[in-house]
Amino acid sequence: MSRMAWSVRAVGLTLALLMSTNPALAASAGALAAMPIEQAATELSPNQFVWKDDTASGAASEPVSIVISLLAQRAFVYRGSTMIAATTISSGKNGKDTPLGTYPILQKNAVHKSNLYNDASMPFMQRLTWDGIAIHAGRNPGFPDSHGCIRVPLGFAKRLFGVTTLGTTVTVTDDFEGGAMPEPPVADQETAIANLRQSVSLDP
């Protein structure tokens, strides 16, 4: 692959994602909850998410990681190698593109106002870069519409905020091999450590 190596499941995603943009085909919240999470992830309509975190199984000790697909406008959350949540997103629009790469969460703030965009509300903000890229609750129309941040539904943002820590790995990609579902990336520990050291000394 051109930007990063992925280990992928053989789950066809492209056609299902295209179908999910049709409101007439959107699944109800109850129907989504009854599906395996990998299937539910393909049938989300804008502003929907699914969360199936079985912390009673002892998996809560496994590290959390996040994969953001700009192509599919989805976020996938994993504990270890198990997908526990998925949501629709709205990433950066043309000219304000969300940057690709692997990032550690640098800062968390449940009640945050934008320093760049007229004190705009950014609930449950989780900062990925010091120049303004973050995951936060916000308008989720089903297509790229932000100034570069990754907007997610409010309920999802609140739950995500509760399971991440500083240093949690977030990988932003625009490429799935053959349209398949990604597995969690291997954490870029050197990047995470370097950025966390920087976060101690900087307070933007």
Side-chain angles (χ1 to χ4, degrees), residues 1-79:
M1 297 180 62
S2 58
R3 292 186 175 88
M4 60 191 71
W6 290 102
S7 170
V8 295
R9 295 187 181 95
V11 179
L13 184 63
T14 305
L15 179 59
L17 288 173
L18 290 173
M19 290 175 63
S20 72
T21 62
N22 185 336
L25 300 176
S28 68
L32 290 170
M35 296 175 188
I37 192 166
E38 291 85 357
Q39 179 186 357
T42 69
E43 302 198 19
L44 299 171
S45 58
N47 215 44
Q48 279 189 319
F49 68 91
V50 60
W51 195 286
K52 297 189 177 185
D53 191 6
D54 184 11
T55 54
S57 69
S61 61
E62 294 287 328
V64 170
S65 61
I66 303 164
V67 177
I68 306 293
S69 167
L70 303 185
L71 179 64
Q73 290 291 283
R74 294 287 193 277
F76 307 96
V77 184
Y78 297 84
R79 279 193 186 277

Side-chain angles (χ1 to χ4, degrees), residues 180-195:
M181 191 82 72
E183 288 191 357
V186 175
D188 184 345
Q189 295 296 335
E190 291 185 4
T191 299
I193 291 169
N195 280 282

Side-chain angles (χ1 to χ4, degrees), residues 93-124:
K93 58 190 175 183
N94 286 340
K96 297 286 186 179
D97 302 276
T98 302
L100 304 175
T102 300
Y103 306 93
I105 292 175
L106 299 171
Q107 183 184 52
K108 298 176 61 169
N109 188 352
V111 182
H112 184 75
K113 302 286 186 180
S114 173
N115 298 322
L116 300 175
Y117 300 106
N118 301 318
D119 288 332
S121 180
M122 300 168 65
F124 302 104

Side-chain angles (χ1 to χ4, degrees), residues 46-49 87-91 112 120-125 134-143 145-146 149-158:
N47 215 44
Q48 279 189 319
F49 68 91
T87 188
T88 56
I89 68 164
S90 182
S91 60
H112 184 75
S121 180
M122 300 168 65
F124 302 104
M125 184 277 296
I135 300 170
H136 64 83
R139 183 171 175 268
N140 199 252
F143 53 85
D145 193 46
S146 79
C149 283
I150 299 153
R151 297 182 193 154
V152 297
L154 178 61
F156 181 89
K158 183 175 182 178

